[in-house]
Amino acid sequence: MPHIKPKGSFVALVTPMNEDGSIDFEGFRTLLNWHAENGTEAVLIMGSTGEVSMLSPEERKAIITETVKMKPGNMLMYYGITGNNTATTIDYARYAKAEGADGAILAAPAYICADNDAITDFTMEVLDSTDLAMGFYNNPPRVKTDLHWDNLLKLAKHDNMVVLKESTTRVGQVAQVCAAKPDMSIMCCCSPNLGLVIPTMALGGHGTANMTGNIIPQEMAVISKPWETGEDAFACRAAWLDNLSMLHYAYSTINPVSIKTLMRVIGLPSGPLRKPLQPARPEILQKGLDAVRDLGLVEKYGFAPKPGLAAE
């Protein structure tokens, strides 16, 4: 049976934490339901936005086990499975499959700076390891490895490969992948500095795998809707320009510092960052609060700001 391919707004969730640093599972439930109600079509749990590299193996498996039980409706539940080597990544993939995940996302393992052939082979081994929908996150700013479109199109031939998330700055790479019409969804990071969102959607992309949807899910759903009519294109452009201040704020520090700091202040489940990460500086946070005010988000989403936290 063919895998379902994600489309639209694919939000990389934060990992909500309690004040003692433990995982806030009820916070996960609140966030998942909120996203389902506000147009998010898929979520990625334990991506880089979810502070995955600072979670223990036991925490990572517990998050999969507990959150799959919280799936709201038809929203797809994907999990970050990248380990520090091939064997651990396969172990996470098989665990996610056994627990009932809809899919998984992997990237090149951090820090090792493997070449493209090695990472292509690594990804193929993981794709072969279990019958689960999977995607590849091409994220050279975080892991250095940067797959060429030839590598990506080779991976696209695998039955388990259903989505690509691009985080390069090369529109030409996106064009080459779109032109090949692979049997997978083509998405991009929502960072305005990479400049990929409007070109990707214009070239036939299927949505965005985004971080900013943690704050503006309805707006990111509009931006991420595949273009089927001229109205879709104009709505995407308008939403992109209208929300540019929030998009820039989201990427004003390393993720998820800006997003998680702001979420905590406006009353969304978030909790503290895991050390050594520290909250966004007051002058940075203020830009996020200004965007919340200017965009009318408190009224729209019913946020409950906690001004005292802004000083922490």
Side-chain angles (χ1 to χ4, degrees):
M1 182 176 177
H3 296 302
I4 298 172
K5 299 174 182 64
K7 59 182 178 60
S9 181
F10 189 172
V11 177
L13 284 186
V14 301
T15 295
M17 296 180 183
N18 297 306
E19 291 305 311
D20 64 0
S22 61
I23 307 302
D24 178 7
F25 287 106
E26 285 307 306
F28 263 124
R29 189 187 308 278
T30 298
L31 290 176
L32 290 168
N33 290 335
W34 185 65
H35 278 282
E37 293 164 2
N38 283 288
T40 299
E41 297 198 40
V43 293
L44 170 60
I45 295 172
M46 296 188 294
S48 55
T49 303
E51 299 171 90
V52 65
S53 63
M54 292 185 287
L55 299 174
S56 71
E58 294 77 18
E59 286 175 320
R60 291 180 67 168
K61 290 185 174 180
I63 288 171
I64 295 172
T65 298
E66 295 304 318
T67 58
V68 291
K69 304 171 188 174
M70 304 174 187
K71 178 181 168 113
N74 294 321
M75 191 172 72
L76 297 176
M77 305 273 283
Y78 272 65
Y79 295 86
I81 58 165
T82 308
N84 57 357
N85 56 51
T86 302
T88 56
T89 305
I90 287 173
D91 179 59
Y92 286 132
R94 289 174 173 167
Y95 190 87
K97 167 67 176 180
E99 293 297 292
D102 292 313
I105 298 291
L106 64 151
Y111 198 71
I112 62 173
C113 304
D115 63 27
N116 285 5
D117 287 342
I119 295 305
T120 302
D121 289 346
F122 154 78
T123 305
M124 279 292 190
E125 285 192 61
V126 180
L127 290 167
D128 283 339
S129 68
T130 187
D131 184 21
L132 179 66
M134 298 190 214
F136 186 80
Y137 183 12
N138 194 38
N139 187 16
R142 291 295 279 255
V143 300
K144 188 174 181 180
T145 305
D146 186 358
L147 294 193
H148 186 270
W149 65 75
D150 287 340
N151 306 109
L152 297 170
L153 292 173
K154 179 180 178 181
L155 296 175
K157 295 176 182 177
H158 198 290
D159 289 342
N160 289 337
M161 178 73 175
V162 301
V163 59
L164 165 69
K165 178 185 177 182
E166 267 292 350
S167 287
T168 68
T169 59
R170 300 191 305 278
V171 174
Q173 166 127 328
V174 175
Q176 290 286 352
V177 175
C178 288
K181 297 181 172 61
D183 187 19
M184 67 177 179
S185 289
I186 300 167
M187 296 185 165
C188 63
C189 171
C190 66
S191 169
N193 297 318
L194 295 179
L196 285 181
V197 171
I198 301 302
T200 298
M201 301 308 294
L203 289 165
H206 301 87
T208 71
N210 64 80
M211 174 171 67
T212 317
N214 281 284
I215 300 286
I216 49 170
Q218 291 184 29
E219 292 79 357
M220 289 309 304
V222 173
I223 290 167
S224 306
K225 184 181 184 300
W227 293 7
E228 298 173 352
T229 67
E231 290 182 0
D232 293 334
F234 288 127
C236 173
R237 181 178 70 181
W240 178 258
L241 294 175
D242 287 348
N243 291 280
L244 203 53
S245 60
M246 182 59 75
L247 287 151
H248 275 292
Y249 168 75
Y251 289 90
S252 59
T253 60
I254 195 69
N255 68 322
V257 169
S258 296
I259 283 290
K260 206 170 183 186
T261 304
L262 181 58
M263 287 176 69
R264 191 178 189 200
V265 172
I266 63 177
L268 284 170
S270 167
L273 290 148
R274 184 155 286 185
K275 293 179 178 181
L277 292 179
Q278 297 180 353
R281 298 192 306 273
E283 63 271 23
I284 293 174
L285 173 61
Q286 189 59 52
K287 293 180 180 179
L289 293 171
D290 291 345
V292 167
R293 179 199 64 219
D294 295 343
L295 295 169
L297 301 183
V298 171
E299 297 79 10
K300 181 172 185 176
Y301 291 108
F303 293 151
K306 302 173 183 177
L309 289 176
E312 293 184 7

